[in-house]
Amino acid sequence: RYPLIVWLNDFLKKYKKAPNKKGLYLYGSFGSGKTYLISALFNELAKDNIKSAIIYWPEYLRDLKSSFYTDFSEKFEYIKKVPLLLIDDIGAEVVTEWGRDEILGPILQYRMQQHLTTFFTSNLDLKTLEEHLSVTRDGVSSVKARRIIERINQLTEQQEIVSKNFRR
């Protein structure tokens, strides 16, 4: 965990001076504290009134889908534009073309173009995430999955955390 703590402390100091920094793709074992550590970082930044959002990706997709006739646009636009975003547990969702191509892709594209800091947590490394994102019930699309991974690479640095499960 030490290299991760060093990275987070360094990010905290630099972000306050220049907010357009790369985020982190943090992957590793279940219950290792990935979300907890990034949430702690966001809490520190909130003390300086820096807005952030944490979305549990599988639930966000379900929530967004159920809001088509109510506040879909507001929810979608807020996540696209919030200064700091954590997409938590990417790779735990059931992949659909809609979620991958119409929701995740545009969010990442916008954030990349606007230089908005984005974090991810996952149990999957990027190679495995790419495989996961390529398969939907409608078939396999390696190119579309690769586009997502390229955007994640543009937005983040990668770190792995392997630890005991703190949820037990």
Side-chain angles (χ1 to χ4, degrees):
R1 287 181 157 213
Y2 184 74
L4 176 59
I5 300 298
V6 169
W7 190 96
L8 293 170
N9 278 325
D10 188 51
F11 178 89
L12 181 63
K13 291 173 194 166
K14 289 179 179 175
Y15 188 85
K16 289 179 181 181
K17 294 176 186 167
N20 295 332
K21 297 283 179 212
K22 275 192 169 190
L24 186 65
Y25 183 86
L26 184 58
Y27 67 98
S29 53
F30 293 100
S32 60
K34 298 178 295 291
T35 305
Y36 178 84
L37 290 167
I38 295 173
S39 297
L41 172 68
F42 282 16
N43 282 336
E44 281 302 308
L45 291 165
K47 292 175 184 175
D48 291 325
N49 295 316
I50 297 169
K51 292 190 184 317
S52 64
I54 298 172
I55 54 172
Y56 175 63
W57 187 243
E59 182 62 30
Y60 177 74
L61 289 172
R62 284 189 291 272
D63 187 44
L64 206 54
K65 189 178 275 190
S66 70
S67 71
F68 273 138
Y69 300 108
T70 55
D71 56 352
F72 174 90
S73 185
E74 291 170 30
K75 290 178 180 182
F76 184 66
E77 291 299 315
Y78 181 79
I79 291 307
K80 272 178 38 180
K81 296 176 180 177
V82 68
L84 280 171
L85 175 64
L86 168 57
I87 297 177
D88 186 34
D89 219 2
I90 191 167
E93 75 283 3
V94 174
V95 178
T96 64
E97 288 184 357
W98 174 81
R100 181 191 62 207
D101 305 338
E102 303 299 323
I103 304 303
L104 183 58
I107 288 171
L108 299 184
Q109 181 67 28
Y110 181 87
R111 297 187 67 77
M112 190 176 69
Q113 290 172 333
Q114 299 301 315
H115 306 285
L116 295 171
T117 305
T118 310
F119 287 76
F120 299 84
T121 62
S122 184
N123 298 116
L124 309 176
D125 62 34
L126 283 175
K127 184 177 186 301
T128 308
L129 179 64
E130 183 176 349
E131 293 167 6
H132 171 74
L133 291 171
S134 69
V135 180
T136 67
R137 66 175 176 216
D138 298 322
V140 176
S141 180
S142 299
V143 172
K144 290 183 178 183
R146 187 75 210 142
R147 281 190 190 128
I148 298 295
I149 299 303
E150 285 301 314
R151 282 159 179 74
I152 291 172
N153 279 324
Q154 288 293 314
L155 288 163
T156 65
E157 298 176 24
Q158 294 178 52
Q159 278 207 33
E160 181 179 21
I161 182 171
V162 178
S163 177
K164 69 177 185 175
N165 188 337
F166 287 102
R167 292 187 197 134
R168 292 184 182 169

